[in-house]
Amino acid sequence: MSFTIEEAVQVLSQKFLLQKGVVGVSHGSKELIIYVESEEAARKIPRTLMGFPTKTIVSGKFRVLSLPEAKAGRTIAGTLVNRALRLRPIPGGVSSGSLKVGAGTNAGRVIDKTTGLKMLLSCYHVFLGDVGDPIIQPGKLDGGRYPDDVIGYIERFIEIKPPPETNIIDACIARPVSQDLVSEEVLDIGIVNGIQEAKVGMKVKKSGRSCGLMEATVMDTNATIKVDGYSFGEAIFEDQIITSFFALPGDSGSIAVSADTNAAVGMIFAGSEVLSCINKITNIVQLLNIDIPKSAAPPTLPPTAAAYVLMPLFTGFLLLLGAKTQT
Amino acid sequence: MTQITIREAVIMARREFLPIKGVVGVSSIGNTIIVYVETPETASLLPRTYYGYRVEVRVTGPIVTLP
């Protein structure tokens, strides 16, 4: 009695997947493919099974790819908050997403230049959907639910195109359900102070759902890169910033700011084990027709740094006062 | 032969190198062409210079979205 290769896979799946060390069964055009955890498990697989040659692939254990646990972040007022919790008003740097994704990061408040209204910014692969689709905070994998946690609806985005076409940004804005719902601050960063071009060697920091606050160095400012993870596979992006590693899954949508000026230089959207990739903020504001205004207040400084700046000024003021009093 | 500019060389390098499996990015810094690759093996497929410009290879691993 002979079997087709598909029938052989069905039979062997029931038998082999119960066997310790075997993690998958499949087939090529003329051979059976057995995925195993280790070389030791591979040695136990016969060279032929049910009349078909076998090919063994040592794949290790398959695991569900889950998001890392969210990092806590600090507000300007000094309160420590969990980025994966429901937060109102909504600061930048916290878990968010559409109903089609697990969770990414809400970059923060931007201004729609066509209406003057506050909008929420993130990557399109985080705020994924059609115009009018709901956005929730926290994201679905962090427990956000429809309709209780809806914070806004998709307003505008730039469609990601497959090769050979190229892309510049992976970005989307959502109109909040209420203008009062949007906080001006980004956790651990404070208020973003306008926009600025990135330069090679510049120190940048970002505040994201998964890694929290991290700093990196700009390595490249005009890269063309292939990025995997879209519904159609790889997409090509031009005019990108590359930095040293500072983002994990769940950090897409984090705003990256200059460590010196707190001005936005871009938004994190991709990365590898050793580097992170950022859409330029100049391209985002132009293509989405939005603005990130300069902050009226100076960039937030931690109390110790503020003391270092203010103390000499205060001392100088006292000396001046003393000098005037003497004359 | 007229020397092409680094900008022109990068445009040509993108067309030539990006279709290679394992090449994930092309850029330039100063007068050096930067090629990002997934593994060190891919580096052997790339020239050391391209139209007279030095080629620097950086191994990054695959680049993926971070949702």
Side-chain angles (χ1 to χ4, degrees):
Chain A
M1 183 181 175
S2 66
F3 293 92
T4 65
I5 199 158
E6 290 85 2
E7 288 168 335
V9 166
Q10 278 194 344
V11 172
L12 292 169
S13 294
Q14 289 171 17
K15 181 185 170 190
F16 269 102
L17 287 177
L18 296 174
Q19 188 174 313
K20 195 173 175 335
V22 176
V23 292
V25 180
S26 181
H27 68 85
S29 57
K30 289 176 182 171
E31 63 188 0
L32 294 164
I33 299 170
I34 316 290
Y35 295 92
V36 294
E37 280 182 21
S38 62
E39 293 288 349
E40 187 190 346
R43 283 193 287 274
K44 294 178 184 166
I45 306 296
R47 294 213 173 157
T48 61
L49 280 166
M50 297 176 73
F52 295 99
T54 58
K55 178 181 173 185
T56 311
I57 296 175
V58 181
S59 59
K61 278 187 183 174
F62 293 134
R63 291 186 179 85
V64 174
L65 292 176
S66 56
L67 288 174
E69 198 172 320
K71 280 266 179 1
R74 205 172 282 279
T75 64
I76 291 175
T79 314
L80 201 61
V81 295
N82 183 337
R83 294 166 193 269
L85 290 184
R86 186 180 200 273
L87 298 163
R88 304 291 184 271
I90 308 147
V94 298
S95 168
S96 186
S98 75
L99 302 177
K100 294 181 175 176
V101 297
T105 296
N106 163 41
R109 176 217 61 170
V110 295
I111 305 296
D112 185 349
K113 283 169 87 172
T114 55
T115 61
L117 293 174
K118 291 179 196 170
M119 294 280 159
L120 299 160
L121 172 69
S122 190
C123 292
Y124 180 51
H125 75 264
V126 174
F127 285 1
L128 183 66
D130 294 318
V131 170
D133 282 358
I135 300 299
I136 54 175
Q137 194 289 315
K140 207 165 60 174
L141 278 183
D142 287 323
R145 293 289 173 264
Y146 177 86
D148 294 351
D149 298 314
V150 171
I151 56 169
Y153 297 91
I154 293 175
E155 178 82 3
R156 276 201 298 281
F157 59 86
I158 305 293
E159 192 90 49
I160 314 289
K161 299 177 290 276
E165 290 194 77
T166 59
N167 305 276
I168 305 289
I169 62 170
D170 174 350
C172 176
I173 53 170
R175 182 195 291 248
V177 291
S178 148
Q179 290 289 292
D180 301 337
L181 203 62
V182 187
S183 165
E184 290 194 346
E185 72 171 289
V186 178
L187 291 184
D188 286 324
I189 283 181
I191 298 173
V192 176
N193 185 24
I195 65 171
Q196 184 177 345
E197 293 265 3
K199 304 268 183 238
V200 172
M202 179 191 263
K203 296 280 183 209
V204 291
K205 57 185 178 179
K206 76 101 187 48
S207 171
R209 177 215 169 271
S210 301
C211 283
L213 179 69
M214 277 188 81
E215 197 171 281
T217 304
V218 173
M219 297 158 56
D220 195 330
T221 56
N222 64 345
T224 300
I225 53 172
K226 287 194 285 195
V227 178
D228 207 352
Y230 295 97
S231 57
F232 50 80
E234 281 182 346
I236 298 173
F237 284 84
E238 291 181 328
D239 203 21
Q240 302 303 307
I241 300 168
I242 305 288
T243 67
S244 50
F245 175 87
F246 74 153
L248 282 172
D251 284 334
S252 270
S254 307
I255 200 87
V257 302
S258 156
D260 291 334
T261 65
N262 244 27
V265 299
M267 182 168 68
I268 292 165
F269 80 111
S272 78
E273 290 171 357
V274 297
L275 54 75
S276 301
C277 306
I278 300 179
N279 290 157
K280 288 183 180 173
I281 201 70
T282 44
N283 290 330
I284 293 173
V285 296
Q286 187 194 344
L287 293 168
L288 285 178
N289 198 27
I290 57 172
D291 189 24
I292 298 178
K294 266 188 169 288
S295 164
T300 334
L301 294 173
T304 47
Y308 282 121
V309 173
L310 293 175
M311 191 56 80
L313 287 175
F314 185 60
T315 312
F317 175 71
L318 285 179
L319 287 172
L320 193 68
L321 198 66
K324 277 199 168 178
T325 313
Q326 283 171 7
T327 52
Chain B
M1 184 179 128
T2 314
Q3 168 76 38
I4 66 171
T5 64
I6 182 75
R7 194 183 165 85
E8 290 166 333
V10 170
I11 291 168
M12 307 266 283
R14 279 177 193 155
R15 283 191 205 140
E16 193 167 334
F17 300 153
L18 273 181
I20 298 173
K21 191 171 159 46
V23 173
V24 291
V26 176
S27 183
S28 66
I29 293 176
N31 274 338
T32 301
I33 294 170
I34 310 291
V35 184
Y36 298 97
V37 297
E38 287 184 3
T39 61
E41 289 73 45
T42 310
S44 61
L45 305 173
L46 299 166
R48 292 196 175 178
T49 60
Y50 188 74
Y51 285 94
Y53 296 100
R54 194 168 75 85
V55 174
E56 181 182 316
V57 180
R58 294 181 181 178
V59 180
T60 65
I63 298 177
V64 296
T65 58
L66 301 171

